[in-house]
Amino acid sequence: MSDTNDIYYDTYNEGEAPEEKSRFSVIAGAVWKTASVTVILAIFVLLFYRMWETKEPGGTGDFLWDDATYSAYIEADGEEPVVMAPYDNEDLYVYERENLTTVTLTQKAEDRADWKRITLPLDEYYENESFRVFTANTGSYTVTGEDGAETSVKVTGYYEAAGTAADRQLRVSDCYFIPAANQVQLTFRYKTDILEKLNGKNAFDGSVFRYFLEDQSGTDYEAEIRKTAKRGVYRYVTVVFSDVDFSSVSEFKLVAEYLTEKDASQTLEISVYDSMLPLPVSEVSVKEPDASELSFGKDG
């Protein structure tokens, strides 16, 4: 076979030789691939960073033992709450729910149509005082409007300053209500640029906010800062309110006070307890205290 036929055979079986790319095309392709990979990696890094940044630092939101809570715990001596007669009879009463001051029951009757719901003060339902810790409940309930339309309300256990310039900039979580110790604990989170959003400035002592707990009667309880933490642009402050009157409380609001650029005091309010809600609080178990590890000092 001649050389000419060999060339024809190779071309016929292997096809035309690929067109050689220019140097510019090769460089442009490499740059495009590198840029695409870099953008994808940057998106993943940003997503993982946001997940890390919004997660509370370890230990944030933990229940804190101090002299008041520890003394109340020791005084209760591990007693469980005992229900008074006749409310302990399940054939006569059905436990529905309770909040910080009352218990709601269903009172049975022979005719189911005569069953009725009753509400009792805690000291009429329980015959003893025990050490119990309550926290923000979670779940959902339905609200019926004046037009009959039903709206589902989801309770997540987080509270925000909705409808203000600080919406989604502030958050309250990990609320603990301890009636036996007359104490409320909660964790407050804010972003580092919050004062810019509010046209405010740091106070004279360098603090961003002062914290108060206010009940439905307007009584204010000043906070003691027990723990601080930071992660990314978020700052966490765990505060304790002492000598709180739980005897007839129906509402608690966290009041965050800040200083404006004109040295005027302004406040933001976040509701953290409302007895009128179907899901106000629930009891929570806490780790038993170790007296040798108790911390009673501030962590400003």
Side-chain angles (χ1 to χ4, degrees):
M1 185 179 295
S2 66
D3 292 341
T4 302
N5 288 337
D6 288 342
I7 294 173
Y8 171 79
Y9 177 82
D10 292 342
T11 303
Y12 178 81
N13 286 278
E14 298 179 10
E16 296 292 336
E19 182 180 353
E20 185 176 350
K21 294 183 178 180
S22 67
R23 183 177 180 82
F24 174 79
S25 298
V26 172
I27 294 175
V31 170
W32 172 254
K33 289 180 180 179
T34 302
S36 299
V37 172
T38 301
V39 170
I40 293 173
L41 288 176
I43 292 173
F44 275 104
V45 169
L46 181 61
L47 288 174
F48 281 115
Y49 176 79
R50 287 291 297 157
M51 292 172 61
W52 170 85
E53 185 180 44
T54 55
K55 185 178 179 181
E56 291 186 352
T60 301
D62 290 349
F63 177 80
L64 302 178
W65 289 100
D66 62 7
D67 52 357
T69 52
Y70 185 68
S71 297
Y73 175 81
I74 294 300
E75 185 175 345
D77 196 26
E79 288 189 26
E80 295 295 325
V82 178
V83 179
M84 287 186 181
Y87 306 117
D88 59 348
N89 189 335
E90 294 182 357
D91 294 329
L92 298 177
Y93 296 92
V94 177
Y95 174 93
E96 298 291 344
R97 63 178 181 271
E98 66 182 284
N99 55 41
L100 297 178
T101 56
T102 62
V103 175
T104 300
L105 308 170
T106 295
Q107 185 176 19
K108 296 182 179 180
E110 291 186 8
D111 187 347
R112 192 177 183 90
D114 294 330
W115 286 24
K116 61 182 180 180
R117 186 164 291 171
I118 62 174
T119 300
L120 301 170
L122 288 180
D123 58 4
E124 292 183 17
Y125 182 73
Y126 294 112
E127 67 178 37
N128 65 325
E129 291 189 10
S130 57
F131 184 84
R132 306 172 71 197
V133 179
F134 297 89
T135 190
N137 207 344
T138 59
S140 60
Y141 59 91
T142 302
V143 175
T144 304
E146 295 181 358
D147 58 353
E150 294 186 345
T151 303
S152 180
V153 179
K154 186 177 181 181
V155 181
T156 63
Y158 296 111
Y159 304 91
E160 297 180 340
T164 72
D167 188 19
R168 298 187 178 276
Q169 304 290 311
L170 307 176
R171 191 184 79 179
V172 174
S173 64
D174 304 299
C175 297
Y176 297 105
F177 307 97
I178 315 101
N182 299 112
Q183 189 180 96
V184 174
Q185 303 178 10
L186 56 84
T187 298
F188 181 76
R189 188 189 79 175
Y190 63 91
K191 295 185 74 172
T192 53
D193 63 349
I194 183 61
L195 290 179
E196 296 178 18
K197 303 283 186 182
L198 299 172
N199 294 320
K201 66 179 183 179
N202 291 87
F204 304 112
D205 60 359
S207 62
V208 178
F209 292 103
R210 289 181 65 201
Y211 309 98
F212 301 89
L213 186 72
E214 183 177 289
D215 63 18
Q216 76 286 344
S217 66
T219 302
D220 286 336
Y221 303 94
E222 193 162 357
E224 180 182 355
I225 297 176
R226 293 289 179 84
K227 187 191 295 186
T228 60
K230 60 183 179 180
R231 173 166 288 185
V233 298
Y234 295 102
R235 300 294 180 264
Y236 298 83
V237 182
T238 299
V239 293
V240 173
F241 302 93
S242 301
D243 301 320
V244 178
D245 183 7
F246 283 89
S247 60
S248 59
V249 65
S250 61
E251 184 179 5
F252 280 132
K253 293 184 292 185
L254 174 70
V255 180
E257 182 183 70
Y258 65 95
L259 199 63
T260 69
E261 293 179 343
K262 297 182 179 180
D263 293 330
S265 294
Q266 289 287 345
T267 59
L268 292 166
E269 297 181 351
I270 302 177
S271 177
V272 296
Y273 171 73
D274 187 345
S275 63
M276 298 302 293
L277 296 180
L279 299 171
V281 292
S282 62
E283 189 174 356
V284 63
S285 297
V286 296
K287 183 181 177 181
E288 292 189 4
D290 183 345
S292 64
E293 298 177 356
L294 292 180
S295 176
F296 306 108
K298 297 181 181 180
D299 182 13

